[in-house]
Amino acid sequence: MAWTDKQNQTMPAEFILTGITDRPELQAPFFVLFLTIYVVSAVGNLGMIVLTKVDSKLQTPMYFFLRNLAFIDLGYSTSVGPKALVNFVADQNTISYHWCATQLTFFILFMISELFILSAMAYDRYVAICNPLLYTVVMSPRVCWVLVAVPYVYSASVSLITTIKIFLSSFCGHNIISHFYCDSLPLLTLLCSDTWEIELFILVCSVFNLVSSLLIVLVSYILILKAILKMNTAQGRQKAFSTCGSHLAVVVVLYATLAFMYMQPKASHSFDTDKMASVFFTLVIPMLNPIIYSLRNKEVKGALHRVWKNLCKIPI
C-alpha cells in the first residue's frame, strides 16, 4: 500500500473496512436486505421532503421540522449506505483517505443535527399543546429557521473540528478500520500520536449533545404531560398524546442507541457490538422515521391523496 510523508505525518492512501460480517455466505443476503432498507429510506425521506414542500396544507412549523428531519435522515443514511452496499460485492472493502474524511464529516454533521432537530420538534409540540392560541406567533417562520440553522452551524463546526483533528494526526501504518464505515472511535485506534485531546473533545461534545438535547425533550414533555392531564375531555387528551407518542418513541430509541455506543466505558467497548447498533441508527431509523412521524398522519395521507389525484388529471 502506498504511503506518503508530509510535514512529518504518516498518511495512508486508503483504509480497509472490515465490514459487517466476514462470512461470505452472508454477503448476498445482507446486500439484498440493506439495499431494500436503503431504497425504502431514500424514497420515503425524499418523498416527505417533496410532499411537505409542494402541498399547501402542510406549510406549518411541524412539517417544516419534519422536512428537515427527512433531509437529515436522507443525508446520513446516504453518507453510509451506498458505500456499505458496494463493499458487500467488492473483493476488498477499501475506502480512500479523502473519502473516509468526507464520510466522517457528513456523518457527524447529520447525526448531531438529528438530535437537535428532534429537540426543536419537541419544543414545537410543547408550544402547540400548551400555548395553542400563541402557536403561530411563537413559532414564526423566523423562529423556525433559527431553530434549524443553529443546529446545522453547530454540527458542522463540531464535525469539521473532529475530522481535522483526527486526519491531521499521525497514523501508525495500520489501515484496517473495524467498522463498515469511517467512524471516529475506530479511527482513533489507528493513530500513533497522543489521542487524549481528541478523545476528550469527542467525549465533551457527546455528553453536551446528548444531555442538552435530551433535556430539552424531557422538559418539553413534562410540561406537555401537565397540560394534557389538565384537559377536561378524553378526546382532547387522546389527540394530544397521538401527536407526541411516535416522536417520543423514536427519541428514546435513538438516544439509547447513541448512549450505548458512545458513553460506554473504554474497557468494555466492543466494535462488533457497535456495528449492530450502527446499522440500526444509520439505516433502520432513517427508514422508520417517515413512517412513524408522517405516513401514519392523516394530514400527510390527505396530501398524498391530493397529489395522486392531480397526477391522474395530467393528460398523457
Side-chain angles (χ1 to χ4, degrees):
M1 184 190 64
W3 295 78
T4 59
D5 190 16
K6 183 178 181 181
Q7 298 178 345
N8 297 323
Q9 293 180 6
T10 306
M11 185 181 74
E14 62 182 18
F15 295 99
I16 297 175
L17 300 168
T18 57
I20 295 176
T21 179
D22 56 359
R23 298 174 59 180
E25 68 274 14
L26 294 179
Q27 299 293 326
F30 274 161
F31 174 81
V32 174
L33 176 62
F34 278 45
L35 179 62
T36 303
I37 292 174
Y38 177 71
V39 169
V40 172
S41 173
V43 171
N45 285 295
L46 189 59
M48 194 54 55
I49 293 171
V50 174
L51 188 65
T52 55
K53 189 69 176 177
V54 301
D55 191 86
S56 60
K57 294 187 178 181
L58 299 184
Q59 306 306 307
T60 64
M62 175 182 173
Y63 293 104
F64 173 78
F65 291 122
L66 281 173
R67 181 161 63 248
N68 279 274
L69 182 68
F71 169 72
I72 291 169
D73 285 336
L74 180 64
Y76 79 74
S77 63
T78 300
S79 68
V80 173
K83 181 59 180 174
L85 289 171
V86 170
N87 288 344
F88 278 124
V89 296
D91 293 332
Q92 191 175 33
N93 303 340
T94 60
I95 185 170
S96 71
Y97 176 89
H98 294 100
W99 176 244
C100 184
T102 302
Q103 187 182 60
L104 177 64
T105 301
F106 280 103
F107 176 73
I108 296 175
L109 186 156
F110 288 121
M111 182 177 66
I112 298 175
S113 297
E114 173 119 343
L115 295 176
F116 289 103
I117 292 297
L118 287 172
S119 300
M121 293 173 69
Y123 176 71
D124 171 71
R125 292 298 84 203
Y126 155 72
V127 177
I129 293 173
C130 298
N131 297 288
L133 298 178
L134 297 176
Y135 180 67
T136 56
V137 177
V138 175
M139 300 303 295
S140 64
R142 183 176 180 179
V143 171
C144 292
W145 274 110
V146 170
L147 289 175
V148 299
V150 171
Y152 284 144
V153 173
Y154 166 73
S155 303
S157 302
V158 173
S159 175
L160 287 172
I161 292 172
T162 303
T163 303
I164 290 171
K165 281 182 173 293
I166 290 176
F167 282 86
L168 288 183
S169 301
S170 299
F171 289 86
C172 294
H174 305 292
N175 70 328
I176 300 177
I177 300 175
S178 299
H179 220 313
F180 64 95
Y181 65 92
C182 290
D183 197 8
S184 55
L185 297 183
L187 282 167
L188 289 177
T189 64
L190 305 181
L191 299 182
C192 282
S193 53
D194 186 12
T195 61
W196 181 85
E197 181 182 350
I198 307 175
E199 289 180 347
L200 179 62
F201 177 78
I202 293 174
L203 178 62
V204 170
C205 289
S206 299
V207 171
F208 172 77
N209 297 336
L210 286 170
V211 173
S212 61
S213 57
L214 186 57
L215 186 62
I216 295 171
V217 173
L218 290 176
V219 171
S220 297
Y221 274 105
I222 289 173
L223 296 174
I224 288 171
L225 182 60
K226 289 177 63 177
I228 291 176
L229 293 177
K230 292 180 181 179
M231 292 180 178
N232 296 324
T233 64
Q235 184 179 3
R237 289 193 292 269
Q238 184 178 3
K239 183 178 179 181
F241 274 122
S242 66
T243 62
C244 302
S246 297
H247 172 258
L248 188 58
V250 175
V251 164
V252 171
V253 173
L254 179 64
Y255 280 74
T257 305
L258 291 175
F260 173 78
M261 287 189 59
Y262 291 101
M263 305 294 290
Q264 59 181 304
K266 190 174 181 179
S268 62
H269 194 272
S270 171
F271 288 127
D272 289 335
T273 306
D274 278 0
K275 291 178 185 179
M276 295 300 103
S278 296
V279 168
F280 193 78
F281 77 79
T282 58
L283 295 172
V284 177
I285 289 179
M287 178 190 68
L288 293 177
N289 280 349
I291 300 171
I292 295 175
Y293 285 116
S294 305
L295 296 183
R296 293 174 59 189
N297 184 296
K298 292 182 179 179
E299 292 179 343
V300 173
K301 286 183 178 180
L304 285 170
H305 182 67
R306 288 190 295 273
V307 170
W308 178 252
K309 285 180 65 177
N310 290 333
L311 289 175
C312 291
K313 292 178 181 178
I314 299 175
I316 299 176

